[in-house]
Amino acid sequence: MPQSTSKRRIGRGVGVAAAVAVVAAVTAPVAAHAATDAGPAEPAATKLHDDLNGDGYADLAVAAPSATVGGKKGAGYVAVVYGSKNGLDITTRQVLSQSTAGVPGSPETDDAFGSALTTADLDRDGYADLVVGVGREDTADGGAESGMAEVLWGGPQGLTGGPVLATGKAHDGLGGQGRLTVGDVNGDGAADLVTVANQHDLRVLNGPFTRAGGTAHGEQVVKDEFDSRVLDLAAGDVNGDGVTDVAASENDGDEYDARRVVYWPGSPRGLSPYTTVKGGDGYRLQGGENLDIGDVDQDGVDDIVVGRAVDGYDSDLDTPLAKGGRVSLIPGTPDGPDGAHATFLNQDSPGVPGSAERGDGFGTDVRIADVDGDGHPDVATGLPGEDLDGVTDAGAVVVLRGTAQGLTGTGAQVVTQNTPDVPGAAEQGDTFGGAVHLADADHDGLADLAVGAPGENGKAGSVWYFRSGPSTVVSPNGTTTFGNTLLGTSATNARLGTAFAG
């Protein structure tokens, strides 16, 4: 991406080419694509973790937790658009909420259905399922804003309603933003659901799950002795022992300046107590608000990528590249994540587009997958506070390349609403890049990029899908956008694109 001695900007003409697929406001029933479209059926063991209808293509689940449903503000909904050989197929979709038949509960003001999303085959039937957090749900057992997590079962016709898996205690906010992930943390071959109790204790529901929502192996609670706040969770094998671990970005209570990265090693007994990632100086490494896990350098051990989007705190003074937000890569090793050899990128790093400015939000959401097919996973991150040609908070997304040495700014690519042939135009407050997602919706071996802009159209929100090519973030034959008009949902303050399933 361009760099010069003068102020660098992201604007029209910078980035990659894309083509517009005209989106019509149509409706269609949801059904799995025909076998001739998907190719031969895959064994259950090779199914994608986000293939909800079992046709071999990754599907996209996106949340609008502040949307009005049934006249209730903030009740929330989730939209699912299904993959196909041509990428996301906007004619094959579902909208689900607590007014959908079979989904537990009913729409209530500020329930925030969709406050967190994750996917996995919980019942081992060969279809990925969607776990939905309802972070501000009031429950009979827990009380006010105890929150809950429920599952929508995958199947050949798409998603159907399922049971409540867990509820919290009063003001737990169980299933709230960033507080759901799935992984086999005890190595028994079944997916386990990990969420957060008391804002900081990990609560593990051990799979497999029955269709009634029960589990034969009970649950585990891993206590945190401090008054921490979990900001985001991710699962992966960060010590290479073959058992899934869990990592989190946290802060100390209400002291937002004290962000850190911690991880809980998995074992046959479940999760062990957490370890704090330390930097080269022996002190805890300054973390961020969100993170993802994947083997960027392809050394056989997963790495942690952390997005630190919020700047302006005192800790920025001794934190590398904090201005405007940063992305950190913490390499995984047989001894766990190695914070002493972490690397950092921001918009002042060589090759990264734009320039580091306060409030850009570089590092807002981070997702790991191989976009260009070179065998090394790449990292997509949002910059919802990026100004474009004087338009404030229009937003952007940058894809950083993965290499054998980790992340690099060299060859990074950017996409905005001012990129040629991208639908729409950059407007004040769009916050394009407020959420990002990477998954292979067309099964061509390249991860495709989805972008949420929750501020689009006066906070109605919208979603863009970019079909990747071997050398570009988006290919000339696959760019699509959709919003509330297509979905037939209320636009008022819906903020569609707030989060994707991960």
Side-chain angles (χ1 to χ4, degrees):
M1 303 219 167
Q3 181 180 10
S4 67
T5 56
S6 62
K7 179 178 172 69
R8 290 178 289 156
R9 307 289 300 176
I10 301 176
R12 185 173 295 276
V14 179
V16 294
V20 180
V22 178
V23 179
V26 297
T27 58
V30 171
H33 294 277
T36 54
D37 185 16
E42 295 180 87
T46 64
K47 290 286 187 180
L48 298 170
H49 74 88
D50 45 8
D51 181 9
L52 301 168
N53 61 358
D55 63 358
Y57 302 101
D59 306 312
L60 182 72
V62 58
S66 65
T68 298
V69 176
K72 304 296 184 180
K73 294 180 180 179
Y77 71 82
V78 174
V80 177
V81 180
Y82 289 84
S84 75
K85 67 180 180 181
N86 297 314
L88 287 187
D89 180 1
I90 60 171
T91 69
T92 311
R93 61 185 187 270
Q94 287 180 282
V95 176
L96 303 115
S97 71
Q98 289 184 298
S99 66
T100 302
V103 176
S106 59
E108 297 172 312
T109 300
D110 293 332
D111 273 353
F113 181 86
S115 51
L117 303 171
T118 191
T119 55
D121 184 2
L122 296 186
D123 58 354
R124 298 199 291 191
D125 67 349
Y127 297 93
D129 310 305
L130 179 65
V131 181
V132 181
V134 195
R136 293 199 293 271
E137 177 83 15
D138 299 341
T139 65
D141 294 336
E145 296 190 356
S146 52
M148 70 181 184
E150 51 193 57
V151 62
L152 305 178
W153 300 116
Q157 302 301 313
L159 293 174
T160 57
V164 173
L165 299 178
T167 60
K169 299 177 182 178
H171 306 292
D172 255 7
L174 187 141
Q177 182 178 4
R179 294 176 178 175
L180 284 178
T181 193
V182 176
D184 181 10
V185 302
N186 56 11
D188 67 353
D192 308 309
L193 177 64
V194 183
T195 184
V196 179
N198 304 320
Q199 309 294 323
H200 51 70
D201 298 333
L202 283 201
R203 184 177 173 188
V204 183
L205 282 70
N206 297 303
F209 293 82
T210 68
R211 281 277 164 153
T215 169
H217 301 295
E219 65 177 67
Q220 175 192 21
V221 176
V222 187
K223 295 284 188 178
D224 183 343
E225 60 184 308
F226 300 107
D227 186 25
S228 306
R229 295 291 183 271
V230 170
L231 305 175
D232 197 14
L233 287 175
D237 187 3
V238 299
N239 58 12
D241 67 353
V243 182
T244 302
D245 313 304
V246 174
S249 53
E250 290 188 342
N251 67 286
D252 287 341
D254 296 327
E255 188 183 352
Y256 203 69
D257 204 19
R259 286 160 282 178
R260 62 174 178 259
V261 180
V262 302
Y263 68 99
W264 296 261
S267 76
R269 299 173 301 280
L271 294 180
S272 302
Y274 77 80
T275 297
T276 302
V277 176
K278 295 182 179 179
D281 59 2
Y283 294 96
R284 65 187 185 192
L285 186 74
Q286 277 283 333
E289 300 77 47
N290 55 84
L291 79 175
D292 198 9
I293 295 177
D295 189 5
V296 173
D297 56 9
Q298 288 294 283
D299 66 350
V301 185
D302 285 341
D303 313 305
I304 302 175
V305 173
V306 182
R308 180 188 175 94
V310 178
D311 60 345
Y313 284 87
D314 289 343
S315 61
D316 290 355
L317 298 177
D318 57 3
T319 300
L321 304 182
K323 183 179 179 181
R326 76 175 188 192
V327 171
S328 310
L329 183 139
I330 304 170
T333 77
D335 295 320
D338 182 6
H341 291 90
T343 56
F344 310 99
L345 295 170
N346 76 350
Q347 285 187 283
D348 284 340
S349 300
V352 179
S355 60
E357 300 167 306
R358 180 71 61 82
D360 280 348
F362 184 81
T364 297
D365 210 356
V366 287
R367 296 298 178 101
I368 304 172
D370 187 0
V371 173
D372 55 13
D374 67 354
H376 288 280
D378 310 298
V379 173
T381 188
L383 297 86
E386 183 74 22
D387 299 343
L388 302 178
D389 300 326
V391 180
T392 58
D393 297 341
V397 171
V398 168
V399 177
L400 304 165
R401 291 186 58 247
T403 72
Q405 290 73 44
L407 279 183
T408 178
T410 301
Q413 298 185 58
V414 62
V415 62
T416 77
Q417 287 191 76
N418 282 349
T419 300
D421 299 321
V422 171
E427 299 169 311
Q428 182 175 346
D430 279 349
T431 60
F432 182 89
V436 297
H437 185 264
L438 291 174
D440 188 3
D442 55 5
H443 200 49
D444 66 350
L446 307 178
D448 306 313
L449 172 67
V451 178
E456 177 77 10
N457 296 329
K459 299 183 180 180
S462 194
V463 176
W464 282 255
Y465 164 72
F466 301 98
R467 193 174 178 189
S468 296
S471 60
T472 59
V473 175
V474 291
S475 68
N477 64 340
T479 301
T480 300
T481 186
F482 64 89
N484 293 281
T485 299
L486 176 78
L487 299 174
T489 53
S490 172
T492 304
N493 205 39
R495 298 186 64 83
L496 175 66
T498 294
F500 295 100

